[in-house]
Every structure is written in structure tokens, then in C-alpha cells.
Amino acid sequence: MQTLSPTPRTTVTRGANRAVGERDRLLDLLADALTAHLGVVVTRDGATHPVVLPVAFAVDPDGPDEGGTLYLHGSTGAGWLRAALVSDVCVTVTELDGLVAARSAFSHSMNYRSAVVIGRARMVDDPAERRHALDLVVDHMIPGRSATLRASTRKELAATAVLALPLREASMKERAGGPVDEPEDVATGVWAGHIPLRRTALPPVSADDSHDDVPADVRLRADALA
Amino acid sequence: MQTLSPTPRTTVTRGANRAVGERDRLLDLLADALTAHLGVVVTRDGATHPVVLPVAFAVDPDGPDEGGTLYLHGSTGAGWLRAALVSDVCVTVTELDGLVAARSAFSHSMNYRSAVVIGRARMVDDPAERRHALDLVVDHMIPGRSATLRASTRKELAATAVLALPLREASMKERAGGPVDEPEDVATGVWAGHIPLRRTALPPVSADDSHDDVPADVRLRADALA
């Protein structure tokens, strides 16, 4: 079993009991999650501030970067792109698994799995790696779909930036199960527990300009998420 | 209808057709979402990098900050807290509503609602505002629950930091519906459409050390999310 080796930047300081050290668990979470939140540092008029945006992503555990590669893509005109290339970025992936209702406000919590990856993004220039990464992003949404699509045009590829982030500097936290209350609060007899949450899919909806013969990959994906 | 007045930092540059300008829509999204992603800028050894963490939050549209107040809370020992107070922060709230499968990889997309709030966080010191904010955070998870709980102890309050962020500098984007393909791709007869996604709750699970008489607020919340 490979273990994560966090640096000081990714060492879990609060709630260290919730830290997850196995790389396989990180990869499982990244496989489950559909979106990530990308954080970049923007400098404007000499002042810095963070910007956090939801992004699609994909992972190649055997990618060329240390620890494997997390791929992001975006429009070459996106405002965050320049910021993402001149300083380190943070990609955070969170799956919310439940609401935890304790006897005290203080012990209320949420069940979740969350991964934080920090590092310097690499602009992917190699045409083969770019195609591979973009296929992975489509297949992350709907496994198998990229093989059913026409090739991207030169114009589409020219409008698309692909970034690669090493998975080397990563940490993961998880909370699961019910509330943890103080014994004196348990003794009051107040109810406590949790509400499990999950993401579900409804059946695929065909586009107005499409026929209704939903392909197998899309049906499988919707069924798997249902 | 109040409109959002984004600054240059929160003006939607890419996909401006997806920008949402009504404050009520922003408040609706913030009411729906259960977690946010907080971005802070961390400086270590002279180098800056962003850190993005999932956080609970609550909103008081009539709070004391310009545009209303978004409240965050955390342990006074949390590593992000110091960073959150010495430079601006970004709070991003995203609800994923669907996977959009187009005829081309390029036109694949996701349906989502996402809000970005940027500003300087204020440490809340006033005891009454702190209690109000912490009640809002609990009630954001499970409406009505804070009124059923014992008061927080002095020790619990001392361990909890409450931050307030003005909702003034905010923007929102939304994508909904099916794919938008080029006419020549539609003409190929390839299927296209989308898979709607939603968050669902399973029935409440009583804690091992609790009786099974689930209170009305928790049942209502689970039913509303089911």
C-alpha cells in the first residue's frame, strides 16, 4: 500500500484523527468526485487575493508527474489561467456524505471525504498528452464516452488549455459515522444521529435536437449514479 | 429586484452568458448549498500559495456587513484562520446539477450553479453576534435545530472562531439544460443530452448511544432533501 507523504503545506493540522494516509483512498475519492475546486492566487494592483472556481478534472495515476497527474482544462482566455501558471495552485475535491446532528451545537459536524492537492501546475504542450488528458476529462464524466466522439478539431484544441498538477503533495481527510458527544450530553437523553447524503442521477434527458436512443455509456453512467 | 454589482475581481469574464445578476438567485443558491469552499492565501518562507478547504457556512441576508453577511466558523487553532484574517479570502459555493454529454468532447459541459464571494473577513467578537452566527450555521444544516439544543458552554465558545464576510463583492454563474452543439455535429445524428444530478438524503440514522425517536426538525430536513 502506497502512503501519502504530505509536506508541511499539506500536513493535516486540525482533526489529525481524520487524516487518511493511503494513496489508494485518495485515488478512490478522485475517481468518485465529479468536480474540483481550483484555488489560484491573483495579484491585482499589488494586492493578492485568492480565487476559487469549480472545475472539471481527471486523474492519470500513472501520469508523467510525481505521484501521478491531475489534469485540468479550460479556455485559453480564462482569467484564472494566467494566475494558475505563475504561482502554486490548490485543487480541492470534496464529497459530502452526511449531516451530523449532535446534542450540542459544538459537536455538530458533517461527514465528508476531502482531498487537497497543492503544487505548481504545468501547461501541457505535447499534442499526444493533451489529447490523452482531454479524453480522460470526458471519460471522468462518462466512462468510455471519448472513444465514441469525433476527434477534436484544430480550432477546438487551440482554444483549450490543459494543465497538469502532480499528485505528490496531497492530503486527505475523512469523517464518517455518527456524532461524538460528551458523556454528560448523552446522559440528557437528547436524540442524536446523522442524515446520510449522496448524489443521485435521474434518467438521461435527450437533447431537443437529438434522437432518444441513449447510448450504452450514458445509460451505464446514469445507472451507476442513480 | 436587487442586482449584484460585481467589482473587477468578481466580474464574470468567461461564459458571461452564464452570469446571474440577481441577488435573490445568489441567496437561493446559498440557501440550497450545504458546504462552501474557502480559499485563503498562505505565505510560507516568502512564497505564497492558495489553500482551499471545505467549510460549513451560513448567511444572514440582513447581517451587519455590506450586502449581507456570510458566516464561517472554525477552530481557533485552525491553520487557515490566521491566513484568512491577513488578506482577502474567497468563498465559493457550487451545486452540481448535471452532466452534459454533447456530440463533441469540446462541447461537453456540466450544469451547475456557483457563487464566488471575495472580500476581507471580519473576526466576529461580539458575543451576541457570535451566538447568532453559530445558531445560523446549525440551522443552515438542519433548520430549527439550534432552538432545541442547550446553550454552548464558555469553553466551546472560546474554542470557536467566527468570521463574517460581506456579500457585497459576489458573482454567480449558472448553466442549465442540454448541450449546445455545432449544426454540423447535430447533423451527424450522434446522440446528445444530459444526466440530471441531485443530492438526496437517506432516512436519519440514530446514534448508537441515542434513542430512535428522531425529532421533527431532523425528519423534516431529511424528507426535504430526500
Side-chain angles (χ1 to χ4, degrees), chain A residues 14 37 50 52 75 88 92 94 102-103 108 145 150 185 189 191-194 196 198 200 202 205-207 209-211, chain B residues 14 37 50 52 75 88 92 94 102-103 108 145 150 185 189 191-194 196 198 200 202 205-207 209-211:
Chain A
R14 298 305 301 178
H37 279 82
V52 179
S75 162
D88 287 358
T92 298
T94 305
R103 281 88 172 181
H108 273 62
R145 185 154 180 85
R150 67 161 171 78
D185 286 326
W191 180 89
H194 71 283
R198 55 190 294 265
T200 57
L202 301 176
V205 177
S206 300
D209 56 9
S210 170
H211 59 80
Chain B
R14 297 306 301 177
H37 279 83
V52 179
S75 163
D88 287 358
T92 298
T94 305
R103 280 88 172 180
H108 273 63
R145 185 153 181 86
R150 67 161 170 78
D185 286 327
W191 180 89
H194 70 283
R198 55 189 294 265
T200 58
L202 301 176
V205 177
S206 300
D209 56 10
S210 170
H211 59 79

Side-chain angles (χ1 to χ4, degrees), chain B residues 49-191:
Chain B
H49 65 89
V51 171
V52 179
L53 296 172
V55 290
F57 73 98
V59 168
D60 184 347
D62 304 315
D65 301 280
E66 197 181 346
T69 302
L70 188 152
Y71 287 112
L72 305 171
H73 77 315
S75 163
T76 51
W80 56 264
L81 187 62
R82 211 173 59 92
L85 290 168
V86 297
S87 67
D88 287 358
V89 303
C90 179
V91 173
T92 298
V93 172
T94 305
E95 289 285 279
L96 181 62
D97 294 327
L99 304 175
V100 181
R103 280 88 172 180
S104 64
F106 188 76
S107 293
H108 273 63
S109 188
M110 296 199 192
N111 287 333
Y112 64 93
R113 290 157 291 151
S114 186
V116 173
V117 185
I118 298 177
R120 184 58 64 107
R122 169 175 66 86
M123 175 76 92
V124 179
D125 292 318
D126 178 69
E129 188 183 0
R130 281 165 53 80
R131 277 194 302 273
H132 174 61
L134 293 172
D135 282 352
L136 286 177
V137 170
V138 168
D139 289 340
H140 189 89
M141 278 178 56
I142 300 171
R145 185 153 181 86
S146 70
T148 72
L149 302 172
R150 67 161 170 78
S152 292
T153 65
R154 210 168 294 190
K155 190 177 158 196
E156 288 168 345
L157 290 170
T160 306
V162 177
L163 299 186
L165 184 65
L167 283 175
R168 181 184 72 82
E169 197 170 349
S171 66
M172 179 174 166
K173 285 180 81 172
E174 173 169 15
R175 191 201 187 284
V180 179
D181 277 303
E182 297 298 326
E184 56 269 32
D185 286 327
V186 175
T188 60
V190 172
W191 180 89

Side-chain angles (χ1 to χ4, degrees), chain B residues 2-81:
Chain B
Q2 268 189 291
T3 54
L4 299 173
S5 304
T7 67
R9 300 200 295 191
T10 54
T11 296
V12 174
T13 52
R14 297 306 301 177
N17 56 316
R18 296 177 185 166
V20 174
E22 298 92 42
R23 182 167 184 267
D24 286 352
R25 299 278 306 286
L26 173 74
L27 294 177
D28 286 348
L29 167 59
L30 296 177
D32 277 358
L34 294 169
T35 56
H37 279 83
L38 166 69
V40 299
V41 177
V42 172
T43 302
R44 187 187 290 271
D45 302 333
T48 60
H49 65 89
V51 171
V52 179
L53 296 172
V55 290
F57 73 98
V59 168
D60 184 347
D62 304 315
D65 301 280
E66 197 181 346
T69 302
L70 188 152
Y71 287 112
L72 305 171
H73 77 315
S75 163
T76 51
W80 56 264
L81 187 62

